[in-house]
Amino acid sequence: MKLTTKLLASAALATGLAGAAFADGHDPFQVGFIYVGPTGDLGWTYEHDQGRLAVEEAYGDQVETVYLESVPEGADAERAITTMVLGGADMIFTTSFGYMEATNAVAAQFPDVLFEHATGYLREHPNVSTYSARFYEGRAIQGHIAGQMTESNIIGYIGSFPIPEVIRGMNSAFLHARAVNPDVQFRVVWAYTWFDPAAEGAAAQALIDAGADVILQHTDSTAPQAAAQEAGIYSFGQASDMAQFAPAPRISSIIDNWAPYYIERVGAAMDGTWEQSDRWDGIGPGMVGIGEMTEAIPEEVRASAQEMIDAIAAGEYHPFTGPINRQDGTAWLAEGEVADDGTLAGMDFFVEGITGDIPN
């Protein structure tokens, strides 16, 4: 793990109590970030770190940011978060699902420090908030495109861990691929990692060997892109645009835009208006973005995908709208019925048409 601390010398941009405190000569407000991967992964952690840099740019020398990268989930995370608190952090963003218990454990010990946990649901203490993005909205767009790009009718999907966030994304992508191509099949490989280029590359190759000619991923490295490029098939950027792989094999991407949220929450912490919350935003508010759709995608497919993006953003379409059955054929959503957030947040089942079991 590497700890990087940076004190900016740019002009202060924030106002209110934070500005007054800084003017009185108090130390800068220190904001910490705990990352599950390296900042150079060009995916998940990269985008969180772009949010950290946006905080520095927004508040100048009123803030000091620190981060720890490649922190394993579990006991190591609790030690890392504690170390950051003891180093003077006033507020900490823990940016992976597996940090959930560790975040709450440390929060109990340091009630004067504010904690924000990404993609989790536990808020056991008043100084803990949670936040996530409706990634499944972006997966719907990917599925819509992938279903019309495949020639083998086999779409590969690399899963990280079998948690609701990942299962939700698979279901959304599959439903929208099947909607435009009834012959589509999904092949799922579980990598059991968020970031491991070797494991991700091997998973991609296994899918390619199984006949997949389009690959989606819920892991963070660009290794699947490289494998897809070698095989001459299509893939999508994950978490970040991964535009260096455009126009081939990347045909579009799902982008996590954390910067506005980080700027907002740090500002609230500094001016004393921070309150515990649970945020779950999507395409409409801009937390989920869709990267440029390259010209490898037929014009009519790009147009229909854009229509879906616009409809989701406007609240006119929800990716989980019935009729939808569970994998075993039992009814889940009736015609026109929309899934509730509670079911989506805890989703632990595949929809009808996806083969294979969800690992325990």
Side-chain angles (χ1 to χ4, degrees):
M1 296 184 294
K2 179 178 70 175
L3 175 63
T4 297
T5 305
K6 184 176 181 181
L7 173 60
L8 293 194
S10 56
L13 298 180
T15 59
L17 297 179
F22 181 77
D24 288 342
H26 293 176
D27 290 337
F29 188 80
Q30 189 179 105
V31 186
F33 294 80
I34 303 289
Y35 299 145
V36 73
T39 57
D41 68 357
L42 298 180
W44 176 263
T45 294
Y46 171 82
E47 284 297 334
H48 282 286
D49 200 54
Q50 291 300 297
R52 177 185 68 84
L53 295 173
V55 168
E56 291 186 340
E57 183 176 356
Y59 296 112
D61 51 6
Q62 293 186 79
V63 299
E64 176 183 18
T65 71
V66 299
Y67 68 86
L68 285 164
E69 61 184 348
S70 301
V71 176
E73 296 171 322
D76 284 342
E78 187 168 339
R79 287 191 290 270
I81 299 167
T82 301
T83 297
M84 190 167 279
V85 172
L86 295 176
D90 299 296
M91 183 180 196
I92 297 176
F93 293 88
T94 56
T95 64
S96 189
F97 181 83
Y99 297 152
M100 183 162 56
E101 287 81 7
T103 300
N104 281 271
V106 179
Q109 301 174 54
F110 300 97
D112 294 332
V113 178
L114 302 178
F115 296 86
E116 298 257 356
H117 176 238
T119 75
Y121 54 84
L122 287 182
R123 296 176 299 281
E124 297 178 331
H125 311 285
N127 57 330
V128 179
S129 284
T130 51
Y131 63 102
S132 188
R134 295 182 184 270
F135 306 116
Y136 66 84
E137 294 180 351
R139 305 293 179 195
I141 306 304
Q142 290 185 338
H144 177 82
I145 296 170
Q148 298 175 82
M149 297 297 292
T150 179
E151 296 182 0
S152 69
N153 291 326
I154 298 176
I155 296 173
Y157 204 116
I158 304 171
S160 47
F161 296 95
I163 62 174
E165 172 192 331
V166 180
I167 296 167
R168 241 183 351 255
M170 290 180 180
N171 284 334
S172 181
F174 175 78
L175 288 169
H176 291 82
R178 181 63 69 89
V180 295
N181 183 347
D183 296 324
V184 157
Q185 301 176 48
F186 262 33
R187 297 283 189 271
V188 176
V189 172
W190 295 97
Y192 296 101
T193 183
W194 293 113
F195 178 83
D196 184 333
E200 294 173 63
Q205 190 59 54
L207 292 169
I208 293 166
D209 292 343
D213 60 357
V214 181
I215 291 180
L216 290 78
Q217 67 185 88
H218 203 132
T219 54
D220 301 340
S221 86
T222 59
Q225 313 279 315
Q229 186 172 43
E230 179 70 20
I233 66 171
Y234 296 118
S235 62
F236 291 81
Q238 157 63 17
S240 183
D241 199 23
M242 298 183 176
Q244 68 272 35
F245 290 92
R250 169 207 164 280
I251 47 179
S252 186
S253 57
I254 180 171
I255 303 172
D256 309 337
N257 181 19
W258 303 111
Y261 181 80
Y262 287 162
I263 292 170
E264 173 194 338
R265 297 298 280 173
V266 170
M270 290 198 299
D271 68 21
T273 60
W274 187 96
E275 294 181 348
Q276 185 183 67
S277 66
D278 179 33
R279 185 76 64 84
W280 200 10
D281 287 340
I283 289 176
M287 191 174 276
V288 174
I290 304 299
E292 178 188 6
M293 293 178 278
T294 70
E295 293 186 358
I297 304 172
E299 183 177 356
E300 63 272 16
V301 176
R302 277 181 277 147
S304 61
Q306 187 60 53
E307 289 178 3
M308 185 179 293
I309 293 169
D310 295 341
I312 291 173
E316 298 168 356
Y317 175 68
H318 192 292
F320 287 103
T321 301
I324 302 174
N325 292 338
R326 295 172 182 260
Q327 187 182 44
D328 62 5
T330 59
W332 173 35
L333 297 174
E335 177 77 35
E337 184 181 3
V338 174
D340 64 272
D341 279 355
T343 302
L344 292 179
M347 182 170 276
D348 60 357
F349 61 89
F350 280 148
V351 295
E352 188 175 38
I354 298 183
T355 57
D357 298 324
I358 298 173
N360 292 323

